[in-house]
Amino acid sequence: MNQDNTTNHSKAQVGDREIVINRIFAVPRELVFEAWTREEYLSKWWGPRGFTITFQKFEMRPGGTWQFIMHGPDGVDFPNTNIFVEITKPERIVIKHDVFPHFLATATFEELDGKTKLTYRTVFEETAEVFDKVKTYAAPGTEETMDRLGELLASMS
């Protein structure tokens, strides 16, 4: 097991308007799911390295809104609005990102003998041309976000 409790760290797979990241965390699925569903945990890891977030609204239920501002290390703010489409504890969360870039994100949590396989898939609604630009920051940013999740999980176990 390495330092951040991640036993399998794969690079983002970038497809046709899609980014997929798989991680295996050496912690139980319920703990990983909890890190995704509680504001006090999400605020510690959501976003690329160096970013912080301020929650404005957090309604963790299907149809509920999650609004926050991501604060970049350079002082630039990025308002975000998400709608929770599906929450199936502790197996799956589907979120619609309702501002540019528009995408549907699906996080699935699979139990693996006390560990958790997380698959995070984002499917973008933007044109292929726009996605070609978005993927240059979205793929590495999502990898850093999952790294931060691993660090939080290591501190919780």
Side-chain angles (χ1 to χ4, degrees):
M1 176 178 358
N2 66 19
Q3 187 175 344
D4 69 356
N5 253 9
T6 305
T7 55
N8 182 4
H9 176 132
S10 63
K11 203 136 173 76
Q13 300 169 344
V14 179
D16 179 27
R17 290 187 266 172
E18 175 181 70
I19 299 171
V20 179
I21 293 184
N22 290 292
R23 297 284 174 99
I24 297 177
F25 298 106
V27 297
R29 176 169 70 165
E30 290 75 18
L31 185 60
V32 180
F33 192 84
E34 188 174 343
W36 277 75
T37 56
R38 292 188 46 192
E39 185 175 343
E40 64 268 27
Y41 296 139
L42 269 169
S43 65
K44 292 179 181 175
W45 66 268
W46 192 266
R49 200 163 298 289
F51 282 72
T52 59
I53 65 173
T54 301
F55 282 68
Q56 298 169 305
K57 191 175 198 179
F58 188 67
E59 303 169 325
M60 189 64 181
R61 59 176 171 72
T65 300
W66 176 24
Q67 288 181 304
F68 60 91
I69 299 173
M70 289 182 70
H71 309 285
D74 58 0
V76 176
D77 287 341
F78 302 91
N80 283 261
T81 300
N82 296 297
I83 307 299
F84 291 105
V85 176
E86 177 187 338
I87 302 164
T88 305
K89 182 179 182 179
E91 300 162 3
R92 179 177 158 102
I93 299 171
V94 180
I95 303 167
K96 177 163 180 29
H97 192 254
D98 220 19
V99 296
F100 182 85
H102 299 87
F103 58 83
L104 191 67
T106 302
T108 55
F109 309 89
E110 182 182 345
E111 176 70 32
L112 295 174
D113 297 321
K115 299 177 185 175
T116 305
K117 179 181 180 185
L118 167 68
T119 301
Y120 184 67
R121 176 182 314 272
T122 49
V123 179
F124 290 79
E125 297 174 17
E126 314 306 336
T127 65
E129 182 179 52
V130 171
F131 178 69
D132 280 344
K133 294 174 187 165
V134 168
K135 71 182 179 188
T136 64
Y137 62 84
T142 304
E143 286 186 50
E144 288 180 11
T145 299
M146 294 305 129
D147 290 345
R148 291 180 68 195
L149 171 59
E151 292 161 9
L152 174 69
L153 292 169
S155 75
M156 293 170 68
S157 59

